[in-house]
Amino acid sequence: QVQLVESGGGLVQPGGSLRLSCAASGSIFSIYGMGWYRQAPGKARELVATITSGGSTNYADSVKGRFTISRDNAKNTVYLQMDSLRPEDTAVYYCNADIGSYTTRPYWGQGTQVTVSS
């Protein structure tokens, strides 16, 4: 059984920073692409950032220059450093990873709430 467990969400003031973590565990043979998505109330889930197994990154235009995605392959963990946070960044953030286990398929974390408010 493969699990993705997120941590690091919370309440922060505009202009502040948060760091999200997502650790994969279970019967894992390999992890391919990893990423972060978010869903605000009443809106569709949207891509925030992705990172390949080789470290190539991709960001949504709305977070470029403010968010940084990284991964530690030895720890099966992906991170999202979020700086200069804005109220419009408020959402539930979900971790996603393509994991090779007994089969290869995408997995999702349970989500972590990020609220940016004064």
Side-chain angles (χ1 to χ4, degrees):
Q1 186 75 7
V2 173
Q3 283 189 315
L4 294 178
V5 178
E6 298 128 336
S7 60
L11 173 64
V12 63
Q13 293 186 340
S17 298
L18 281 176
R19 189 191 194 210
L20 305 183
S21 299
C22 172
S25 63
S27 300
I28 297 171
F29 301 144
S30 57
I31 301 179
Y32 304 102
M34 304 183 83
W36 290 94
Y37 292 72
R38 67 186 181 187
Q39 187 166 19
K43 294 188 176 181
R45 189 173 297 189
E46 63 176 4
L47 180 147
V48 176
T50 60
I51 185 167
T52 67
S53 56
S56 297
T57 59
N58 179 57
Y59 296 92
D61 288 343
S62 59
V63 306
K64 280 180 182 177
R66 301 188 298 122
F67 291 10
T68 303
I69 189 171
S70 61
R71 63 191 285 173
D72 185 332
N73 291 330
K75 296 182 178 180
N76 290 340
T77 299
V78 63
Y79 306 96
L80 186 67
Q81 177 66 41
M82 304 185 293
D83 299 318
S84 302
L85 282 161
R86 305 168 179 168
E88 54 264 39
D89 295 317
T90 296
V92 177
Y93 283 70
Y94 296 91
C95 171
N96 169 270
D98 291 326
I99 295 176
S101 182
Y102 297 104
T103 61
T104 298
R105 69 171 181 87
Y107 289 83
W108 291 91
Q110 80 285 359
T112 185
Q113 178 69 48
V114 171
T115 302
V116 185
S117 175
S118 55

